[in-house]
mmCIF file of all heavy atoms in Angstrom:
data_model
loop_
_atom_site.group_PDB
_atom_site.id
_atom_site.type_symbol
_atom_site.label_atom_id
_atom_site.label_comp_id
_atom_site.label_asym_id
_atom_site.label_seq_id
_atom_site.Cartn_x
_atom_site.Cartn_y
_atom_site.Cartn_z
ATOM 1 N N ILE A 1 -23.918 12.377 -106.723
ATOM 2 C CA ILE A 1 -23.116 13.506 -107.205
ATOM 3 C C ILE A 1 -23.053 13.510 -108.730
ATOM 4 O O ILE A 1 -23.196 14.552 -109.371
ATOM 5 C CB ILE A 1 -21.705 13.454 -106.589
ATOM 6 C CG1 ILE A 1 -21.798 13.720 -105.090
ATOM 7 C CG2 ILE A 1 -20.774 14.447 -107.261
ATOM 8 C CD1 ILE A 1 -20.547 13.437 -104.316
ATOM 9 N N ALA A 2 -22.864 12.342 -109.336
ATOM 10 C CA ALA A 2 -22.732 12.253 -110.797
ATOM 11 C C ALA A 2 -24.021 12.635 -111.519
ATOM 12 O O ALA A 2 -23.974 13.130 -112.645
ATOM 13 C CB ALA A 2 -22.309 10.848 -111.195
ATOM 14 N N LEU A 3 -25.170 12.418 -110.886
ATOM 15 C CA LEU A 3 -26.443 12.706 -111.544
ATOM 16 C C LEU A 3 -26.929 14.138 -111.326
ATOM 17 O O LEU A 3 -27.957 14.521 -111.877
ATOM 18 C CB LEU A 3 -27.513 11.718 -111.060
ATOM 19 C CG LEU A 3 -27.289 10.270 -111.482
ATOM 20 C CD1 LEU A 3 -28.346 9.365 -110.868
ATOM 21 C CD2 LEU A 3 -27.282 10.129 -112.993
ATOM 22 N N LEU A 4 -26.182 14.923 -110.547
ATOM 23 C CA LEU A 4 -26.544 16.333 -110.394
ATOM 24 C C LEU A 4 -26.421 17.034 -111.743
ATOM 25 O O LEU A 4 -25.557 16.699 -112.545
ATOM 26 C CB LEU A 4 -25.618 17.013 -109.382
ATOM 27 C CG LEU A 4 -25.811 16.646 -107.925
ATOM 28 C CD1 LEU A 4 -24.709 17.278 -107.084
ATOM 29 C CD2 LEU A 4 -27.170 17.075 -107.415
ATOM 30 N N PRO A 5 -27.262 18.044 -111.981
ATOM 31 C CA PRO A 5 -27.154 18.770 -113.250
ATOM 32 C C PRO A 5 -25.780 19.424 -113.378
ATOM 33 O O PRO A 5 -25.240 19.954 -112.416
ATOM 34 C CB PRO A 5 -28.252 19.838 -113.155
ATOM 35 C CG PRO A 5 -29.145 19.398 -112.057
ATOM 36 C CD PRO A 5 -28.348 18.524 -111.155
ATOM 37 N N LYS A 6 -25.239 19.368 -114.578
ATOM 38 C CA LYS A 6 -23.912 19.917 -114.841
ATOM 39 C C LYS A 6 -24.001 21.390 -115.191
ATOM 40 O O LYS A 6 -24.936 21.836 -115.833
ATOM 41 C CB LYS A 6 -23.253 19.175 -116.010
ATOM 42 C CG LYS A 6 -23.130 17.680 -115.823
ATOM 43 C CD LYS A 6 -22.036 17.332 -114.860
ATOM 44 C CE LYS A 6 -21.817 15.844 -114.821
ATOM 45 N NZ LYS A 6 -21.955 15.261 -113.540
ATOM 46 N N ASP A 7 -23.005 22.139 -114.764
ATOM 47 C CA ASP A 7 -22.858 23.534 -115.160
ATOM 48 C C ASP A 7 -22.374 23.525 -116.612
ATOM 49 O O ASP A 7 -21.434 22.803 -116.942
ATOM 50 C CB ASP A 7 -21.827 24.210 -114.250
ATOM 51 C CG ASP A 7 -21.676 25.696 -114.499
ATOM 52 O OD1 ASP A 7 -21.962 26.139 -115.627
ATOM 53 O OD2 ASP A 7 -21.263 26.405 -113.575
ATOM 54 N N PRO A 8 -22.974 24.291 -117.506
ATOM 55 C CA PRO A 8 -22.550 24.267 -118.906
ATOM 56 C C PRO A 8 -21.111 24.724 -119.120
ATOM 57 O O PRO A 8 -20.510 24.433 -120.144
ATOM 58 C CB PRO A 8 -23.529 25.200 -119.619
ATOM 59 C CG PRO A 8 -24.267 25.921 -118.562
ATOM 60 C CD PRO A 8 -24.099 25.182 -117.277
ATOM 61 N N ASN A 9 -20.539 25.416 -118.152
ATOM 62 C CA ASN A 9 -19.170 25.900 -118.284
ATOM 63 C C ASN A 9 -18.134 24.938 -117.705
ATOM 64 O O ASN A 9 -16.937 25.209 -117.788
ATOM 65 C CB ASN A 9 -19.018 27.261 -117.588
ATOM 66 C CG ASN A 9 -19.841 28.326 -118.248
ATOM 67 O OD1 ASN A 9 -19.944 28.372 -119.466
ATOM 68 N ND2 ASN A 9 -20.457 29.177 -117.453
ATOM 69 N N ASP A 10 -18.551 23.855 -117.095
ATOM 70 C CA ASP A 10 -17.630 22.963 -116.380
ATOM 71 C C ASP A 10 -16.479 22.441 -117.227
ATOM 72 O O ASP A 10 -15.399 22.194 -116.708
ATOM 73 C CB ASP A 10 -18.382 21.775 -115.783
ATOM 74 C CG ASP A 10 -19.023 22.110 -114.449
ATOM 75 O OD1 ASP A 10 -18.752 23.209 -113.918
ATOM 76 O OD2 ASP A 10 -19.791 21.278 -113.944
ATOM 77 N N ASP A 11 -16.674 22.273 -118.505
ATOM 78 C CA ASP A 11 -15.612 21.692 -119.338
ATOM 79 C C ASP A 11 -14.735 22.751 -120.014
ATOM 80 O O ASP A 11 -13.902 22.426 -120.844
ATOM 81 C CB ASP A 11 -16.209 20.755 -120.387
ATOM 82 C CG ASP A 11 -17.156 21.463 -121.334
ATOM 83 O OD1 ASP A 11 -17.631 22.547 -120.990
ATOM 84 O OD2 ASP A 11 -17.410 20.915 -122.423
ATOM 85 N N LYS A 12 -14.883 24.005 -119.623
ATOM 86 C CA LYS A 12 -14.107 25.079 -120.258
ATOM 87 C C LYS A 12 -12.785 25.312 -119.540
ATOM 88 O O LYS A 12 -12.614 24.961 -118.386
ATOM 89 C CB LYS A 12 -14.929 26.364 -120.276
ATOM 90 C CG LYS A 12 -16.190 26.178 -121.106
ATOM 91 C CD LYS A 12 -16.783 27.452 -121.518
ATOM 92 C CE LYS A 12 -17.910 27.099 -122.472
ATOM 93 N NZ LYS A 12 -18.757 28.126 -122.786
ATOM 94 N N ASN A 13 -11.849 25.919 -120.271
ATOM 95 C CA ASN A 13 -10.564 26.314 -119.709
ATOM 96 C C ASN A 13 -10.731 27.631 -118.956
ATOM 97 O O ASN A 13 -11.726 28.322 -119.130
ATOM 98 C CB ASN A 13 -9.531 26.481 -120.825
ATOM 99 C CG ASN A 13 -9.315 25.197 -121.579
ATOM 100 O OD1 ASN A 13 -9.431 24.113 -121.036
ATOM 101 N ND2 ASN A 13 -8.989 25.303 -122.853
ATOM 102 N N ILE A 14 -9.721 27.994 -118.151
ATOM 103 C CA ILE A 14 -9.824 29.225 -117.375
ATOM 104 C C ILE A 14 -8.551 30.052 -117.476
ATOM 105 O O ILE A 14 -7.498 29.547 -117.868
ATOM 106 C CB ILE A 14 -10.104 28.951 -115.883
ATOM 107 C CG1 ILE A 14 -8.914 28.228 -115.241
ATOM 108 C CG2 ILE A 14 -11.386 28.194 -115.689
ATOM 109 C CD1 ILE A 14 -8.902 28.321 -113.739
ATOM 110 N N TYR A 15 -8.681 31.313 -117.115
ATOM 111 C CA TYR A 15 -7.544 32.198 -116.892
ATOM 112 C C TYR A 15 -7.558 32.551 -115.414
ATOM 113 O O TYR A 15 -8.575 33.007 -114.886
ATOM 114 C CB TYR A 15 -7.644 33.475 -117.739
ATOM 115 C CG TYR A 15 -7.303 33.249 -119.187
ATOM 116 C CD1 TYR A 15 -8.295 32.979 -120.124
ATOM 117 C CD2 TYR A 15 -5.984 33.289 -119.607
ATOM 118 C CE1 TYR A 15 -7.978 32.762 -121.445
ATOM 119 C CE2 TYR A 15 -5.660 33.075 -120.939
ATOM 120 C CZ TYR A 15 -6.664 32.802 -121.848
ATOM 121 O OH TYR A 15 -6.344 32.586 -123.161
ATOM 122 N N LEU A 16 -6.433 32.340 -114.761
ATOM 123 C CA LEU A 16 -6.286 32.633 -113.348
ATOM 124 C C LEU A 16 -5.402 33.857 -113.196
ATOM 125 O O LEU A 16 -4.319 33.902 -113.764
ATOM 126 C CB LEU A 16 -5.643 31.427 -112.642
ATOM 127 C CG LEU A 16 -5.226 31.590 -111.198
ATOM 128 C CD1 LEU A 16 -6.456 31.608 -110.306
ATOM 129 C CD2 LEU A 16 -4.311 30.446 -110.804
ATOM 130 N N GLU A 17 -5.881 34.860 -112.453
ATOM 131 C CA GLU A 17 -5.097 36.063 -112.192
ATOM 132 C C GLU A 17 -4.765 36.129 -110.712
ATOM 133 O O GLU A 17 -5.621 35.850 -109.875
ATOM 134 C CB GLU A 17 -5.876 37.326 -112.558
ATOM 135 C CG GLU A 17 -6.058 37.543 -114.022
ATOM 136 C CD GLU A 17 -6.731 38.883 -114.323
ATOM 137 O OE1 GLU A 17 -6.884 39.722 -113.403
ATOM 138 O OE2 GLU A 17 -7.114 39.077 -115.481
ATOM 139 N N ILE A 18 -3.526 36.489 -110.427
ATOM 140 C CA ILE A 18 -3.124 36.710 -109.041
ATOM 141 C C ILE A 18 -2.541 38.113 -108.971
ATOM 142 O O ILE A 18 -1.605 38.445 -109.693
ATOM 143 C CB ILE A 18 -2.087 35.674 -108.568
ATOM 144 C CG1 ILE A 18 -2.691 34.264 -108.640
ATOM 145 C CG2 ILE A 18 -1.597 35.996 -107.161
ATOM 146 C CD1 ILE A 18 -1.734 33.155 -108.287
ATOM 147 N N ARG A 19 -3.124 38.910 -108.080
ATOM 148 C CA ARG A 19 -2.667 40.280 -107.843
ATOM 149 C C ARG A 19 -2.565 40.457 -106.335
ATOM 150 O O ARG A 19 -3.495 40.118 -105.615
ATOM 151 C CB ARG A 19 -3.668 41.301 -108.378
ATOM 152 C CG ARG A 19 -3.901 41.225 -109.857
ATOM 153 C CD ARG A 19 -5.065 42.156 -110.228
ATOM 154 N NE ARG A 19 -5.467 41.950 -111.594
ATOM 155 C CZ ARG A 19 -5.155 42.788 -112.589
ATOM 156 N NH1 ARG A 19 -4.459 43.864 -112.340
ATOM 157 N NH2 ARG A 19 -5.555 42.535 -113.808
ATOM 158 N N PRO A 20 -1.474 41.023 -105.869
ATOM 159 C CA PRO A 20 -1.373 41.239 -104.419
ATOM 160 C C PRO A 20 -2.309 42.356 -103.971
ATOM 161 O O PRO A 20 -2.554 43.302 -104.691
ATOM 162 C CB PRO A 20 0.087 41.614 -104.210
ATOM 163 C CG PRO A 20 0.545 42.125 -105.515
ATOM 164 C CD PRO A 20 -0.266 41.416 -106.567
ATOM 165 N N ALA A 21 -2.805 42.218 -102.769
ATOM 166 C CA ALA A 21 -3.666 43.248 -102.192
ATOM 167 C C ALA A 21 -2.810 44.162 -101.326
ATOM 168 O O ALA A 21 -1.593 44.170 -101.450
ATOM 169 C CB ALA A 21 -4.758 42.580 -101.364
ATOM 170 N N ALA A 22 -3.446 44.883 -100.439
ATOM 171 C CA ALA A 22 -2.700 45.757 -99.531
ATOM 172 C C ALA A 22 -1.773 44.898 -98.682
ATOM 173 O O ALA A 22 -2.110 43.789 -98.285
ATOM 174 C CB ALA A 22 -3.664 46.525 -98.641
ATOM 175 N N GLY A 23 -0.596 45.375 -98.447
ATOM 176 C CA GLY A 23 0.345 44.610 -97.642
ATOM 177 C C GLY A 23 1.749 44.677 -98.184
ATOM 178 O O GLY A 23 2.666 44.082 -97.639
ATOM 179 N N GLY A 24 1.912 45.324 -99.308
ATOM 180 C CA GLY A 24 3.237 45.536 -99.860
ATOM 181 C C GLY A 24 3.944 44.261 -100.268
ATOM 182 O O GLY A 24 3.359 43.381 -100.909
ATOM 183 N N ASP A 25 5.245 44.187 -99.882
ATOM 184 C CA ASP A 25 6.071 43.052 -100.301
ATOM 185 C C ASP A 25 5.566 41.724 -99.744
ATOM 186 O O ASP A 25 5.644 40.700 -100.418
ATOM 187 C CB ASP A 25 7.528 43.275 -99.866
ATOM 188 C CG ASP A 25 8.195 44.388 -100.660
ATOM 189 O OD1 ASP A 25 7.711 44.683 -101.776
ATOM 190 O OD2 ASP A 25 9.191 44.948 -100.165
ATOM 191 N N GLU A 26 5.045 41.730 -98.542
ATOM 192 C CA GLU A 26 4.520 40.495 -97.937
ATOM 193 C C GLU A 26 3.365 39.944 -98.780
ATOM 194 O O GLU A 26 3.255 38.745 -98.996
ATOM 195 C CB GLU A 26 4.041 40.757 -96.511
ATOM 196 C CG GLU A 26 5.134 41.017 -95.519
ATOM 197 C CD GLU A 26 6.025 39.801 -95.294
ATOM 198 O OE1 GLU A 26 5.518 38.671 -95.299
ATOM 199 O OE2 GLU A 26 7.238 40.004 -95.134
ATOM 200 N N SER A 27 2.531 40.815 -99.245
ATOM 201 C CA SER A 27 1.402 40.413 -100.077
ATOM 202 C C SER A 27 1.886 39.824 -101.397
ATOM 203 O O SER A 27 1.356 38.829 -101.887
ATOM 204 C CB SER A 27 0.500 41.620 -100.328
ATOM 205 O OG SER A 27 -0.597 41.256 -101.114
ATOM 206 N N GLY A 28 2.921 40.425 -101.976
ATOM 207 C CA GLY A 28 3.495 39.911 -103.218
ATOM 208 C C GLY A 28 4.143 38.550 -103.029
ATOM 209 O O GLY A 28 4.045 37.673 -103.893
ATOM 210 N N LEU A 29 4.808 38.347 -101.886
ATOM 211 C CA LEU A 29 5.416 37.041 -101.584
ATOM 212 C C LEU A 29 4.334 35.970 -101.395
ATOM 213 O O LEU A 29 4.489 34.830 -101.832
ATOM 214 C CB LEU A 29 6.300 37.138 -100.339
ATOM 215 C CG LEU A 29 7.581 37.952 -100.516
ATOM 216 C CD1 LEU A 29 8.265 38.163 -99.175
ATOM 217 C CD2 LEU A 29 8.512 37.274 -101.499
ATOM 218 N N PHE A 30 3.238 36.361 -100.744
ATOM 219 C CA PHE A 30 2.122 35.430 -100.596
ATOM 220 C C PHE A 30 1.539 35.071 -101.965
ATOM 221 O O PHE A 30 1.196 33.915 -102.235
ATOM 222 C CB PHE A 30 1.042 36.017 -99.688
ATOM 223 C CG PHE A 30 -0.131 35.102 -99.499
ATOM 224 C CD1 PHE A 30 -0.017 33.936 -98.769
ATOM 225 C CD2 PHE A 30 -1.366 35.409 -100.073
ATOM 226 C CE1 PHE A 30 -1.104 33.085 -98.609
ATOM 227 C CE2 PHE A 30 -2.454 34.559 -99.917
ATOM 228 C CZ PHE A 30 -2.323 33.398 -99.177
ATOM 229 N N GLY A 31 1.435 36.063 -102.854
ATOM 230 C CA GLY A 31 0.961 35.812 -104.219
ATOM 231 C C GLY A 31 1.863 34.831 -104.951
ATOM 232 O O GLY A 31 1.384 33.973 -105.706
ATOM 233 N N ALA A 32 3.188 34.917 -104.732
ATOM 234 C CA ALA A 32 4.126 33.979 -105.356
ATOM 235 C C ALA A 32 3.888 32.563 -104.842
ATOM 236 O O ALA A 32 3.949 31.592 -105.607
ATOM 237 C CB ALA A 32 5.567 34.410 -105.092
ATOM 238 N N GLU A 33 3.591 32.431 -103.549
ATOM 239 C CA GLU A 33 3.287 31.114 -102.975
ATOM 240 C C GLU A 33 1.982 30.557 -103.553
ATOM 241 O O GLU A 33 1.867 29.367 -103.840
ATOM 242 C CB GLU A 33 3.208 31.190 -101.446
ATOM 243 C CG GLU A 33 4.525 31.477 -100.769
ATOM 244 C CD GLU A 33 5.567 30.401 -101.031
ATOM 245 O OE1 GLU A 33 5.234 29.204 -100.960
ATOM 246 O OE2 GLU A 33 6.719 30.767 -101.330
ATOM 247 N N LEU A 34 0.996 31.441 -103.709
ATOM 248 C CA LEU A 34 -0.262 31.016 -104.335
ATOM 249 C C LEU A 34 -0.026 30.521 -105.756
ATOM 250 O O LEU A 34 -0.601 29.504 -106.180
ATOM 251 C CB LEU A 34 -1.268 32.169 -104.369
ATOM 252 C CG LEU A 34 -2.031 32.465 -103.101
ATOM 253 C CD1 LEU A 34 -2.912 33.700 -103.304
ATOM 254 C CD2 LEU A 34 -2.862 31.298 -102.663
ATOM 255 N N LEU A 35 0.800 31.229 -106.494
ATOM 256 C CA LEU A 35 1.116 30.839 -107.866
ATOM 257 C C LEU A 35 1.722 29.440 -107.889
ATOM 258 O O LEU A 35 1.288 28.586 -108.670
ATOM 259 C CB LEU A 35 2.051 31.847 -108.513
ATOM 260 C CG LEU A 35 2.553 31.494 -109.914
ATOM 261 C CD1 LEU A 35 1.391 31.411 -110.891
ATOM 262 C CD2 LEU A 35 3.580 32.506 -110.378
ATOM 263 N N LYS A 36 2.701 29.195 -107.030
ATOM 264 C CA LYS A 36 3.326 27.861 -106.968
ATOM 265 C C LYS A 36 2.291 26.791 -106.634
ATOM 266 O O LYS A 36 2.279 25.715 -107.223
ATOM 267 C CB LYS A 36 4.436 27.845 -105.906
ATOM 268 C CG LYS A 36 5.668 28.612 -106.271
ATOM 269 C CD LYS A 36 6.673 28.536 -105.119
ATOM 270 C CE LYS A 36 7.745 29.578 -105.251
ATOM 271 N NZ LYS A 36 8.604 29.623 -104.053
ATOM 272 N N MET A 37 1.420 27.113 -105.678
ATOM 273 C CA MET A 37 0.402 26.155 -105.263
ATOM 274 C C MET A 37 -0.551 25.818 -106.412
ATOM 275 O O MET A 37 -0.823 24.648 -106.690
ATOM 276 C CB MET A 37 -0.389 26.707 -104.086
ATOM 277 C CG MET A 37 -1.473 25.756 -103.593
ATOM 278 S SD MET A 37 -2.726 26.534 -102.575
ATOM 279 C CE MET A 37 -3.541 27.598 -103.741
ATOM 280 N N TYR A 38 -1.054 26.844 -107.112
ATOM 281 C CA TYR A 38 -1.999 26.597 -108.202
ATOM 282 C C TYR A 38 -1.336 25.864 -109.373
ATOM 283 O O TYR A 38 -1.960 25.009 -110.004
ATOM 284 C CB TYR A 38 -2.643 27.900 -108.680
ATOM 285 C CG TYR A 38 -3.758 28.367 -107.776
ATOM 286 C CD1 TYR A 38 -3.719 29.611 -107.178
ATOM 287 C CD2 TYR A 38 -4.854 27.559 -107.520
ATOM 288 C CE1 TYR A 38 -4.740 30.046 -106.350
ATOM 289 C CE2 TYR A 38 -5.877 27.973 -106.696
ATOM 290 C CZ TYR A 38 -5.821 29.217 -106.113
ATOM 291 O OH TYR A 38 -6.835 29.632 -105.291
ATOM 292 N N LEU A 39 -0.091 26.191 -109.677
ATOM 293 C CA LEU A 39 0.616 25.486 -110.746
ATOM 294 C C LEU A 39 0.798 24.013 -110.392
ATOM 295 O O LEU A 39 0.570 23.128 -111.225
ATOM 296 C CB LEU A 39 1.972 26.139 -111.026
ATOM 297 C CG LEU A 39 1.952 27.538 -111.647
ATOM 298 C CD1 LEU A 39 3.366 28.095 -111.747
ATOM 299 C CD2 LEU A 39 1.277 27.532 -112.997
ATOM 300 N N ALA A 40 1.193 23.735 -109.147
ATOM 301 C CA ALA A 40 1.376 22.343 -108.710
ATOM 302 C C ALA A 40 0.043 21.593 -108.704
ATOM 303 O O ALA A 40 -0.033 20.436 -109.135
ATOM 304 C CB ALA A 40 2.012 22.308 -107.321
ATOM 305 N N TYR A 41 -1.015 22.257 -108.239
ATOM 306 C CA TYR A 41 -2.339 21.630 -108.196
ATOM 307 C C TYR A 41 -2.820 21.285 -109.605
ATOM 308 O O TYR A 41 -3.314 20.179 -109.846
ATOM 309 C CB TYR A 41 -3.337 22.558 -107.509
ATOM 310 C CG TYR A 41 -4.746 22.024 -107.473
ATOM 311 C CD1 TYR A 41 -5.086 20.955 -106.670
ATOM 312 C CD2 TYR A 41 -5.741 22.592 -108.271
ATOM 313 C CE1 TYR A 41 -6.387 20.465 -106.648
ATOM 314 C CE2 TYR A 41 -7.037 22.118 -108.254
ATOM 315 C CZ TYR A 41 -7.347 21.053 -107.432
ATOM 316 O OH TYR A 41 -8.628 20.558 -107.428
ATOM 317 N N ALA A 42 -2.675 22.221 -110.518
ATOM 318 C CA ALA A 42 -3.114 21.987 -111.898
ATOM 319 C C ALA A 42 -2.359 20.804 -112.508
ATOM 320 O O ALA A 42 -2.958 19.945 -113.163
ATOM 321 C CB ALA A 42 -2.927 23.240 -112.742
ATOM 322 N N GLN A 43 -1.053 20.744 -112.291
ATOM 323 C CA GLN A 43 -0.267 19.640 -112.844
ATOM 324 C C GLN A 43 -0.640 18.325 -112.183
ATOM 325 O O GLN A 43 -0.740 17.293 -112.850
ATOM 326 C CB GLN A 43 1.225 19.920 -112.688
ATOM 327 C CG GLN A 43 1.694 21.011 -113.618
ATOM 328 C CD GLN A 43 3.135 21.430 -113.371
ATOM 329 O OE1 GLN A 43 3.678 21.203 -112.305
ATOM 330 N NE2 GLN A 43 3.734 22.042 -114.378
ATOM 331 N N LYS A 44 -0.861 18.344 -110.881
ATOM 332 C CA LYS A 44 -1.236 17.119 -110.162
ATOM 333 C C LYS A 44 -2.577 16.575 -110.662
ATOM 334 O O LYS A 44 -2.773 15.368 -110.748
ATOM 335 C CB LYS A 44 -1.314 17.398 -108.662
ATOM 336 C CG LYS A 44 -1.653 16.179 -107.843
ATOM 337 C CD LYS A 44 -1.726 16.497 -106.373
ATOM 338 C CE LYS A 44 -2.119 15.243 -105.609
ATOM 339 N NZ LYS A 44 -2.369 15.519 -104.216
#
């Protein structure tokens, strides 16, 4: 795995966007859960 060719972008920072899809309030609540998950994952 370590000797596989590296993607030139691998060491760059990212912007993550979360937008709810069709589904109204339920979709927005799911987006809030995704936000919590990604924030916790990034910190971990």
Side-chain angles (χ1 to χ4, degrees):
I1 292 169
L3 293 176
L4 288 173
K6 303 285 187 237
D7 185 334
N9 295 321
D10 277 352
D11 61 341
K12 298 199 173 168
N13 299 329
I14 65 161
Y15 284 94
L16 172 73
E17 289 185 10
I18 299 176
R19 299 172 190 256
D25 290 338
E26 289 294 324
S27 181
L29 291 171
F30 180 70
E33 292 299 316
L34 280 176
L35 175 63
K36 289 179 196 172
M37 180 198 67
Y38 281 122
L39 292 175
Y41 177 71
Q43 288 173 339
K44 182 180 178 187

